[in-house]
Amino acid sequence: RVKCRCLQLISELYPIYPEADRTSDMVTDAEAIIKLLGDYSNSEDARVRCEAFQSLLTLNERGQTLGAALYEPACAALADDYEIVREAALKLVWLLGNKYPENSVTLQDGETTIRMVDDAFIRMCSAVNDLCMAVRALACTLLGTTRAVSDRFLLQTLDKQLMSNMKKKRTAHERGAELVRSGAWASGRRWADDAPGALVETSC
């Protein structure tokens, strides 16, 4: 609790000056504060990790510019075991995606690049399937306020591919037909078609 309170006070009390009045020393100090808060997102305590992201969001609300370098750790936190961390990280992903839409993000294959806002949009779509209802609700809210997303990703969402983790949803009829083909269900078209394989061979 002490660490959480300290992070909160830093974000609320750190002096932020208008960009036109900032000297190079002020910029350096601000970057050091942002790095300090960002480092605590790796804390062993989930409450501290959550407060680290929330403090960064507070700094942004007060007028401090957050760098695009925070995007990667925020994305990593979307897989955190604690929903409070995932929720705060999702807000930061949305913020940075909208702030730096044209920045390039390298995917896991190490070769493919994608616009940051598109990557953020995909991650928010995945968060719609989160186990926590609060995270799902937040993801839906943020999706509606995400700007400049590429048309192809919007169309994939309407086609339910992004929402289902890039797996196309099948109808009940399609799922049933696959079960019939696999032998899990009997079709009823042939006598004893649901009998064990050995029994069917014997009867033939």
Side-chain angles (χ1 to χ4, degrees):
R1 293 181 62 86
V2 174
K3 289 182 180 179
C4 290
R5 185 57 178 162
C6 288
L7 293 174
Q8 182 181 2
L9 289 174
I10 290 173
S11 66
E12 293 177 351
L13 301 179
Y14 179 76
I16 297 177
Y17 303 93
E19 289 191 16
D21 299 335
R22 295 175 189 174
T23 64
S24 58
D25 290 339
M26 291 178 182
V27 173
T28 301
D29 290 343
E31 290 176 350
I33 291 296
I34 292 173
K35 184 180 184 305
L36 174 67
L37 297 178
D39 288 344
Y40 274 98
S41 66
N42 297 316
S43 172
E44 295 180 355
D45 192 325
R47 294 169 299 179
V48 176
R49 296 197 298 274
C50 174
E51 188 57 49
F53 288 122
Q54 190 59 51
S55 296
L56 289 169
L57 292 168
T58 300
L59 280 180
N60 176 78
E61 291 173 359
R62 295 181 57 219
Q64 178 61 51
T65 302
L66 301 180
L70 293 170
Y71 184 77
E72 186 175 346
C75 289
L78 294 178
D80 198 279
D81 291 336
Y82 292 84
E83 59 268 18
I84 57 172
V85 180
R86 298 197 300 274
E87 191 171 355
L90 188 61
K91 294 177 183 178
L92 188 56
V93 167
W94 170 84
L95 173 69
L96 296 174
N98 280 286
K99 189 174 184 62
Y100 304 101
E102 300 302 328
N103 280 32
S104 295
V105 176
T106 303
L107 300 184
Q108 292 182 350
D109 60 10
E111 298 179 358
T112 308
T113 58
I114 187 175
R115 296 168 67 233
M116 185 177 288
V117 68
D118 292 334
D119 186 73
F121 183 77
I122 292 173
R123 294 180 186 277
M124 284 183 279
C125 286
S126 297
V128 172
N129 298 314
D130 195 275
L131 295 176
C132 176
M133 183 179 67
V135 177
R136 296 197 300 270
L138 175 63
C140 292
T141 301
L142 296 179
L143 280 173
T145 55
T146 304
R147 304 179 299 274
V149 180
S150 299
D151 289 343
R152 64 191 183 99
F153 291 107
L154 291 174
L155 292 174
Q156 286 181 49
T157 303
L158 294 175
D159 196 33
K160 301 181 182 179
Q161 291 186 24
L162 284 180
M163 292 293 187
S164 57
N165 298 322
M166 298 304 290
K167 296 179 181 178
K168 186 177 180 180
K169 294 286 188 180
R170 294 174 299 168
T171 64
H173 177 74
E174 290 172 334
R175 294 194 299 270
E178 182 175 341
L179 287 172
V180 170
R181 289 193 298 270
S182 66
W185 281 357
S187 64
R189 294 181 179 178
R190 186 165 57 88
W191 172 255
D193 65 351
D194 59 343
L199 181 58
V200 172
E201 292 175 1
T202 302
S203 62
C204 293

